[in-house]
Amino acid sequence: KGTYSGSLKLNFKIQLRKPVLKSVKKSGSTDENLTGKKATGATGYEIYRTSGNSWKKIASVNSTSYTDKKLEKGALYKYKIRAYKKCKRQKKQYSEYSPQKSVKR
């Protein structure tokens, strides 16, 4: 009861949805074609690959399609992607990583 007034200030972080890595297919004798589903609001994507224990960023692209070239035959490669959005002062905000996909050359 009575008259009330005031204000409330909240800070929150809007998280990007994680992209989906749809397929990893062989292309030619040493190439892999990756395709994915876009994440709403993303300005770019980072693609990661491993053939052992450590992940390495292999590309930053504006679309969810990429061709990884000159791979070794007989090796098992795993891929994952994550989306990013450029925010104020060129800082990047990242999504979670997509589930990984693997392919044996």
Side-chain angles (χ1 to χ4, degrees), residues 36-55:
K37 184 178 177 184
K38 292 184 176 186
T40 305
T43 54
Y45 301 88
E46 292 181 346
I47 301 171
Y48 291 82
R49 175 185 71 202
T50 186
S51 60
N53 294 329
S54 62
W55 288 93

Side-chain angles (χ1 to χ4, degrees), residues 87-104:
C87 299
K88 294 179 182 177
R89 295 180 214 111
Q90 297 297 341
K91 283 183 133 182
K92 291 181 182 177
Q93 181 176 352
Y94 295 97
S95 71
E96 294 179 29
Y97 290 99
S98 69
Q100 63 188 25
K101 295 265 186 183
S102 59
V103 66
K104 184 166 178 122

Side-chain angles (χ1 to χ4, degrees), residues 55-91:
W55 288 93
K56 181 180 177 184
K57 181 171 85 168
I58 58 171
S60 290
V61 294
N62 292 329
S63 70
T64 56
S65 297
Y66 180 74
T67 300
D68 194 11
K69 299 181 179 189
K70 298 181 182 177
L71 301 171
E72 294 180 25
K73 290 184 180 181
L76 177 67
Y77 292 97
K78 296 177 186 176
Y79 296 91
K80 63 184 178 180
I81 61 175
R82 70 177 176 174
Y84 66 84
K85 181 175 182 157
K86 287 187 180 178
C87 299
K88 294 179 182 177
R89 295 180 214 111
Q90 297 297 341
K91 283 183 133 182

